[in-house]
Amino acid sequence: MVAGAWICLLAPLGGALAITLLGPWISRRAAGYVSTLTTFLAFAGALIAFFGLWSRDAHDREQLSTAYTWLAAGDFQVGMEILVDPLSTVMMLVVSGVGGLIVWYSMGYMAGDDEERRFFAYMSLFVFSMLLLVQAGNFLLLLVGWGLVGLASYLLIGFWHKRPEAVAAAKKAFVMNAIGDATFALAIVLLIWSTGTLEFSAVFEGVDGLSSTAVNLVALGLLGGAVAKSAQIPLHTWLPDAMEGPTPVSALIHAATMVTAGVYLLVRAHPIFEAAPDIQSLAAILGAVTLLVAGLVALVQWDIKRVIAYSTMSQIGYMFLGAGIGAYGFAIFHLMTHAFFKALLFLTAGVVIHHLSDEQDIRRMGGLKSALPRTHVAFLIGTVALVGLPPFAGFWSKDAIVASALARGDALGWTLFVAGLLGVLLTGAYSFRLYFAVFHGKRVTVTQQTGDSHHAQHGEGPMSMLVPVGILAVLSAIGGLLYIPGVWHPFTHWIEETGEPLVEATTGQDYLTSAISVALGIAGILLARRAFQLDRQLVTMPSAWRVFEHKLYFDELYDALFYRPGAALANALRRRVEEPVIEGSLDEIGSGTIFASGGLARVQSGLLRTYALAIAFSVCVLIVVFVAVR
Amino acid sequence: MSGPGVGWYLIVAAALFGIGSLGVMLRRSPLIVLLSLEIMLNGANLALIAFARQVGDLDGQIFALAVMAVAAAEVAIGLGLIVAMARRDMALDVDQASALRG
């Protein structure tokens, strides 16, 4: 069981190393195979770990495996250790399983790209980082995975490094994530200082003895990290820009790795958040705000991938909401179903983009239903699962979270409940706006680009692209059946071993929520359909349109708040300090040295006899001095 | 001990050293400079031997032998340089060989 977990962790690392070290000696296609097979090997390891855990007694499902002591400073020790428990095995399965499908898909998608080997090495590194993150047995190792995920995402978003937008987007993602990394690291330092350990169970036991200030600060630091990594307001601006990377990368970031890390952290560190209930509520509120804002902004976006990106932000908002009110099982459940349908949506979007020779603007799409029949079905399944219509995956998980908010009962619970339901309406509207714009309406003619062998075939793509899409479509369709309110709930039961839920909705509340949310979802769909038939936009008020199109001016705000003052300060320092003081003093030192050495050089006349005279004279002086001093 | 006292020897040695050093400082021909150098060395040798005789051990004489060996080597190099200068039709004048002026 533990061996399986280690295989799961190390296989993608081995893949990344193999591709990097073998480099030009293996073909591009072989690099793809290495990456895909090692990721699936990781999935096999995750399965071994999962079933090993399954066969155990329900209260004995937590095992820490330490390879060696990594750091030791007096009493403080950190091991190279992995934690195998119900939560981490679920995450392992999702990361390696969905990640494997995406890597497989990218073999077809990236075929013919200039730097395929580099791409697959990065993909393997990305999967490894995320697996390290979810398997880490202590906070420090978790932070290592956390940072590696940020690095891998930076490398992959900027993969097409000749495009300035891609490089800028990669930089933005890295900087935004660095803010979260910093607060996370501060929280860890605070934990070492206050509890003297970083191991999960020891920390969670020690939390009770801490002052409320310390706990609140630690929770706030962890929340900051989670918010940055999961692209929640206010650190969300990097996620839409991250669409500059290749489509499989977007799928990997949004479905299997990266953005789900924040949710995982909230659930993993739930004892800390429970000790700091204000911060936990803050997480839920941030999630609710994000899901509404992202839903509104998604209504007006024109880029097919950006619409899906905003839907991710919105769905992660639901997960934060769930984790924030203590519905840990449902948050992780939604994380899993979301991984299925979001990967599906991105991969089908990739098929569409491929088909249209890298066209991403939905204004230049339409009527693709007949050209891409299988993709159309897959995309429809993904969209319906996203909106949450029964019996598709999103229905079960999203409604469970919203119902938990209702079960909370107080004012905050009601607010979150309403926000969650409004989010469903928005989801229905924006996702079906996208669906209609891409697959219905006037047929577009594919512009044939001559000489571009990369996109020469304009079918639905090779089998390596279609099979993962098919598998994900099936999972999106039936993946939600692991939880049926009042009937059976193996998934949440499984997660309960790690985190006991704080709220539990009654079956009645569950069905009430489902009824309202399905009605709202269908209302959203009908709105989108009506707008599409009338050839109008969903947002007709020009001022509102402008606000949404500028993503509520977050970029402009950060620009004005941080970038401009920083740049102005740097410019002022350059003009006032750098140029006159530092550069000036260097010039002074140089000219002073030249002046002084000029005087000294005159002594060296080159006349041998002068030297001899100088020596003789010096000897005489010395003799006089010695005699006189005696 | 017979013969003149060590003071006389030292006077002769100092005279030789002074003549040599004046030659080094005043003459411009490298050949003469080299000769003057030899005179200086011999002045030093004479002083060494005189002291060795007075003290009564052989250290000073051995020093003098070493100085003669060094002087021979120095003459070989110095004459070689002078020959090389002459071959290149350079002026045999130490004041004009001043390329190392700072």
Side-chain angles (χ1 to χ4, degrees):
Chain A
M1 182 193 94
V2 171
W6 280 106
I7 291 174
C8 176
L9 177 63
L10 296 178
L13 178 65
L17 286 179
I19 297 170
T20 312
L21 296 179
L22 292 178
W25 288 295
I26 56 172
S27 72
R28 297 163 160 203
R29 197 145 191 84
Y33 279 115
V34 169
S35 189
T36 309
L37 288 177
T38 49
T39 314
F40 278 118
L41 183 62
F43 183 62
L47 278 178
I48 295 172
F50 175 73
F51 283 111
L53 215 57
W54 180 277
S55 61
R56 288 205 183 182
D57 188 55
H59 300 291
D60 189 28
R61 286 182 182 151
E62 196 176 302
Q63 182 153 359
L64 199 64
S65 164
T66 309
Y68 54 89
T69 305
W70 179 33
L71 285 177
D75 293 337
F76 175 70
Q77 286 199 333
V78 179
M80 188 74 199
E81 57 199 355
I82 59 172
L83 177 66
V84 185
D85 75 345
L87 176 60
S88 72
T89 45
V90 167
M91 292 300 292
M92 278 152 68
L93 286 172
V94 171
V95 172
S96 58
V98 178
L101 290 173
I102 294 169
V103 178
W104 187 10
Y105 170 93
S106 46
M107 279 178 67
Y109 191 85
M110 298 302 286
D113 198 277
D114 280 341
E115 294 169 283
E116 266 181 82
R117 282 178 286 246
R118 186 163 67 88
F119 177 81
F120 283 112
Y122 288 168
M123 289 292 259
S124 284
L125 178 69
F126 206 170
V127 174
F128 162 73
S129 318
M130 189 66 191
L131 286 169
L132 181 65
L133 196 160
V134 299
Q135 293 192 34
N138 54 54
F139 276 106
L140 195 61
L141 217 50
L142 179 60
L143 181 66
V144 172
W146 201 263
L148 278 174
V149 165
L151 168 72
S153 68
Y154 167 78
L155 294 171
L156 280 169
I157 294 168
F159 176 72
W160 283 321
H161 53 82
K162 285 173 190 153
R163 281 169 43 185
E165 306 91 34
V167 175
K171 208 158 55 183
K172 191 171 180 182
F174 198 80
V175 170
M176 290 314 253
N177 270 298
I179 297 173
D181 293 354
T183 64
F184 191 4
L186 285 178
I188 284 181
V189 172
L190 204 56
L191 273 178
I192 298 175
W193 177 68
S194 56
T195 65
T197 179
L198 284 180
E199 208 166 290
F200 288 134
S201 50
V203 167
F204 298 153
E205 277 166 22
V207 158
D208 296 334
L210 296 183
S211 70
S212 69
T213 324
V215 173
N216 275 324
L217 282 177
V218 169
L220 200 60
L222 295 180
L223 179 64
V227 161
K229 194 68 71 185
S230 290
Q232 298 294 291
I233 285 174
L235 296 176
H236 63 287
T237 54
W238 65 270
L239 190 71
D241 288 16
M243 293 301 102
E244 292 295 338
T247 308
V249 174
S250 309
L252 201 55
I253 288 179
H254 287 249
T257 61
M258 188 97 184
V259 294
T260 54
V263 183
Y264 167 79
L265 181 67
L266 289 187
V267 177
R268 170 59 77 203
H270 69 92
I272 296 178
F273 286 101
E274 280 166 17
D278 292 343
I279 307 295
Q280 200 173 24
S281 303
L282 180 64
I285 293 167
L286 284 180
V289 172
T290 309
L291 79 88
L292 289 178
V293 168
L296 288 172
V297 175
L299 290 175
V300 303
Q301 294 298 313
W302 289 121
D303 186 314
I304 178 171
K305 280 168 74 181
R306 279 189 186 238
V307 177
I308 307 179
Y310 277 106
S311 84
T312 303
M313 259 174 73
S314 168
Q315 298 301 308
I316 304 275
Y318 278 104
M319 295 175 213
F320 264 59
L321 204 166
I325 56 174
Y328 308 117
F330 295 137
I332 296 297
F333 186 38
H334 194 51
L335 189 160
M336 186 185 78
T337 56
H338 173 257
F340 295 154
F341 60 71
K342 190 49 56 72
L344 175 66
L345 282 175
F346 266 115
L347 298 190
T348 46
V351 173
V352 170
I353 293 168
H354 225 222
H355 179 77
L356 296 178
S357 308
D358 289 344
E359 181 58 65
Q360 300 197 3
D361 193 325
I362 56 174
R363 281 170 292 195
R364 288 196 280 275
M365 295 181 182
L368 290 172
K369 193 175 163 183
S370 53
L372 304 168
R374 284 172 291 186
T375 311
H376 165 247
V377 173
F379 194 89
L380 186 58
I381 291 174
T383 310
V384 173
L386 171 64
V387 180
L389 299 186
F392 295 96
F395 167 73
W396 309 101
S397 51
K398 192 196 290 186
D399 288 357
I401 289 176
V402 181
S404 298
L406 179 62
R408 195 183 149 106
D410 56 359
L412 178 65
W414 277 99
T415 318
L416 297 175
F417 176 69
V418 173
L421 288 178
L422 279 178
V424 176
L425 179 70
L426 290 172
T427 311
Y430 71 69
S431 55
F432 269 83
R433 165 178 176 264
L434 180 66
Y435 165 75
F436 285 124
V438 174
F439 288 100
H440 290 263
K442 246 193 358 260
R443 179 78 194 275
V444 290
T445 47
V446 176
T447 47
Q448 200 82 35
Q449 290 175 341
T450 48
D452 188 1
S453 63
H454 181 173
H455 299 295
Q457 84 290 10
H458 281 294
E460 288 192 89
M463 284 316 274
S464 62
M465 285 166 71
L466 288 181
V467 175
V469 167
I471 295 172
L472 284 169
V474 172
L475 286 174
S476 302
I478 62 166
L481 298 176
L482 286 170
Y483 170 76
I484 299 172
V487 182
W488 83 320
H489 40 76
F491 189 91
T492 44
H493 187 66
W494 177 254
I495 295 292
E496 265 172 31
E497 312 285 333
T498 306
E500 204 70 37
L502 297 183
V503 285
E504 211 147 1
T506 61
T507 314
Q509 282 169 329
D510 256 324
Y511 283 108
L512 175 68
T513 312
S514 295
I516 302 175
S517 98
V518 168
L520 282 172
I522 291 176
I525 294 171
L526 292 178
L527 269 176
R529 182 152 170 267
R530 179 114 186 100
F532 180 73
Q533 281 170 341
L534 296 175
D535 201 19
R536 279 174 32 188
Q537 285 309 316
L538 283 167
V539 181
T540 44
M541 202 164 49
S543 56
W545 176 275
R546 221 168 24 246
V547 171
F548 293 156
E549 200 166 33
H550 283 92
K551 307 153 202 162
L552 273 71
Y553 295 103
F554 269 103
D555 279 335
E556 285 82 353
L557 179 70
Y558 291 163
D559 206 46
L561 270 185
F562 303 110
Y563 171 71
R564 294 236 193 89
L569 181 68
N571 273 328
L573 282 176
R574 186 177 57 118
R575 272 198 315 277
R576 301 270 156 74
V577 178
E578 172 86 23
E579 280 170 5
V581 178
I582 297 178
E583 289 183 15
S585 67
L586 285 179
D587 285 349
E588 296 280 298
I589 290 170
S591 56
T593 312
I594 289 172
F595 178 75
S597 57
L600 206 59
R602 218 161 299 147
V603 175
Q604 193 177 350
S605 60
L607 295 174
L608 193 61
R609 300 186 302 149
T610 322
Y611 299 165
L613 188 64
I615 293 171
F617 180 72
S618 321
V619 170
C620 291
V621 169
L622 279 178
I623 289 169
V624 169
V625 166
F626 274 117
V627 170
V629 171
R630 268 265 179 89
Chain B
M1 191 181 285
S2 63
V6 73
W8 293 102
Y9 289 99
L10 285 187
I11 289 170
V12 175
L16 281 174
F17 195 88
I19 292 166
S21 57
L22 280 179
V24 168
M25 279 183 279
L26 298 180
R27 298 303 293 264
R28 305 208 302 193
S29 161
L31 208 59
I32 306 295
V33 169
L34 213 58
L35 283 174
S36 306
L37 265 177
E38 291 301 313
I39 294 172
M40 287 171 77
L41 287 168
N42 282 321
N45 274 349
L46 187 58
L48 283 168
I49 293 167
F51 280 122
R53 284 272 299 186
Q54 196 204 14
V55 177
D57 67 3
L58 292 174
D59 288 0
Q61 299 192 21
I62 292 169
F63 260 121
L65 279 175
V67 169
M68 284 159 86
V70 171
E74 175 225 312
V75 166
I77 293 174
L79 285 178
L81 281 175
I82 290 167
V83 170
M85 283 168 82
R87 277 206 183 152
R88 280 170 179 70
D89 289 334
M90 289 166 73
L92 288 181
D93 181 349
V94 290
D95 282 4
Q96 287 187 25
S98 60
L100 285 180
R101 188 153 53 94

